[in-house]
Amino acid sequence: MVGERAGPRAVRNLDDVRVSELEGPRREGVDSRRLPSYAAGEIDVPFVALGSDEVIGRDTYWEEHSHPTHELLWNLRGASSATVGSRVWSITPSIGLWIPAGVPHSGWTPAGTWHHAVQFSVREVAPLSERPVSVEITPLLRLLLGRLEEGELSAESRARTEAMVLDLLAPAQGELLLDYPESPLLRPIVETLREDPADTTTLAVWAARLGVSARTITRAFHEATGLGFSRWTAAARVQHAITMLARGDGIDEVAERVGYRSASSFSTAFRRVTGMSPGRFRAG
């Protein structure tokens, strides 16, 4: 699951890149892909499940779109992300994302990611969930999903593979998910951490900068995301860290670049957010 190493720069999630930002010099380094939007089942596809893969050569923003099919996204290498509304899911080699047919979503895939997608017929396959949900990509499921991308499978072999995939698909116990608040009050905090995950400005300092009480900021975070200031900022840093770890950056380096003074304090925060240590995540 180790991707090609990128240079030392701030990691940007897909929600950081708006279409307007792709104008001018940014367009030289970022591909923007525009796909159509379909309602669920609008096109009757001639398959049960159809897989595809691509090694992404340049940082790529996928403009908002929707599919007539259910979609499962996962990566063999690297981490990407998908946005639905204000919610951003991280997609890795061990945690994929199920997106029901017809649900609008956009995406961000860094260069070097080995990106995989499987489309499922709405006529043949019941939705795993009515909303986007993370899926654990186990080693067995990974092999079966890869087999669906082989073009020379017999009809019998394909049917058996599809049946095993559908039997193994299940929502993951945990989700690599973060709600990005859209409150104007919280925007400076959100934008700062998007640009610089190592920023450790405290709640008290932010309250003074924004001219409100710390309690007001905490309440706004709770109302928008269900998390307080400290838990949300920790989760935002971890989301950046996931991309760095997935491309092979060292744990000590990642810890420093997302604002932790030691690898042990970073590991504690990472485990609290994801349920696993950084080492176990990278090995998965």
Side-chain angles (χ1 to χ4, degrees), residues 76-93:
L76 189 59
R77 181 181 68 213
S80 56
S81 51
T83 294
V84 179
S86 63
R87 313 187 89 188
V88 179
W89 279 265
S90 293
I91 301 164
T92 74

Side-chain angles (χ1 to χ4, degrees), residues 84-202:
V84 179
S86 63
R87 313 187 89 188
V88 179
W89 279 265
S90 293
I91 301 164
T92 74
S94 58
I95 300 292
L97 180 65
W98 172 276
I99 304 176
V103 173
H105 57 283
S106 56
W108 173 249
T109 310
T113 303
W114 192 344
H115 161 83
H116 292 251
V118 184
Q119 308 297 326
F120 296 89
S121 164
V122 299
R123 181 167 50 84
E124 301 288 346
V125 179
L128 183 63
S129 169
E130 297 298 331
R131 65 172 185 84
V133 64
S134 293
V135 173
E136 182 180 3
I137 307 297
T138 63
L140 176 57
L141 180 57
R142 188 179 302 136
L143 288 171
L144 293 169
L145 291 171
R147 196 162 191 248
L148 288 178
E149 296 165 11
E150 297 177 10
E152 298 182 358
L153 282 179
S154 68
E156 183 179 355
S157 293
R158 177 167 294 279
R160 282 200 302 266
T161 303
E162 291 166 344
M164 287 189 285
V165 165
L166 296 176
D167 187 53
L168 291 172
L169 282 178
Q173 291 185 348
E175 295 195 295
L176 303 179
L177 166 66
L178 188 63
D179 277 297
Y180 276 83
E182 298 177 340
S183 162
L185 170 65
L186 302 180
R187 186 173 298 129
I189 301 173
V190 172
E191 291 180 351
T192 295
L193 280 173
R194 281 175 171 167
E195 294 294 334
D196 181 14
D199 183 272
T200 56
T201 303
T202 65

Side-chain angles (χ1 to χ4, degrees), residues 52-100:
S52 63
D53 73 306
E54 178 184 359
V55 176
I56 303 298
R58 289 157 53 96
D59 289 353
T60 299
Y61 173 70
W62 310 77
E63 298 184 25
E64 188 172 86
H65 61 281
S66 57
H67 302 285
T69 51
H70 307 306
E71 182 176 45
L72 177 65
L73 298 173
W74 64 287
N75 299 324
L76 189 59
R77 181 181 68 213
S80 56
S81 51
T83 294
V84 179
S86 63
R87 313 187 89 188
V88 179
W89 279 265
S90 293
I91 301 164
T92 74
S94 58
I95 300 292
L97 180 65
W98 172 276
I99 304 176

